[in-house]
Amino acid sequence: MQPTYTFMSRSTAKPGKFDDLVRITKTPPQALDSDTNGVIAYQVSADRERNSVVVWVTMDRKETMYDYLATEKGAAAHGSQEEMEEITETFEMF
């Protein structure tokens, strides 16, 4: 399997929400890896001192992620927008 797409993001947590940020950022790549055959590698790096979490997922193709997120199971694994807004101070996607 050849990698053709990498998703990467960096998030920071609102005060007192760092552990929640780690929880909500690690769930989607774990689910994507478990439920599809297109994930080559992923990493979730948490830095408490910098109050940030970096996620990267390398896949066989971009559609692996977007097609999965379009499913009911993928949407559930991604989490609710409301919860993300309660926990996340900043979010950047590269």
Side-chain angles (χ1 to χ4, degrees):
M1 186 176 351
Q2 294 293 318
T4 64
Y5 182 70
T6 297
F7 167 87
M8 183 177 161
S9 68
R10 181 178 52 158
S11 306
T12 60
K14 289 184 177 176
K17 298 287 187 174
F18 181 77
D19 291 331
D20 291 323
L21 181 64
V22 172
R23 175 182 51 80
I24 68 168
T25 56
K26 73 178 183 179
T27 301
Q30 287 174 337
L32 183 65
D33 187 32
S34 295
D35 296 338
T36 71
N37 292 322
V39 174
I40 296 166
Y42 75 91
Q43 182 173 349
V44 178
S45 299
D47 186 333
R48 192 173 295 275
E49 282 184 27
R50 292 190 174 116
N51 190 41
S52 66
V53 177
V54 173
V55 175
W56 67 260
V57 184
T58 299
M59 292 158 270
D60 59 345
R61 55 195 184 86
K62 185 177 188 176
E63 293 79 15
T64 296
M65 182 174 77
Y66 288 101
D67 290 350
Y68 178 68
L69 292 175
T71 68
E72 190 173 314
K73 191 173 186 179
H78 190 267
S80 77
Q81 185 67 31
E82 291 138 358
E83 183 180 35
M84 285 186 260
E85 289 173 6
E86 289 173 10
I87 295 168
T88 306
E89 184 71 38
T90 65
F91 174 79
E92 296 175 276
M93 193 168 86
F94 305 96

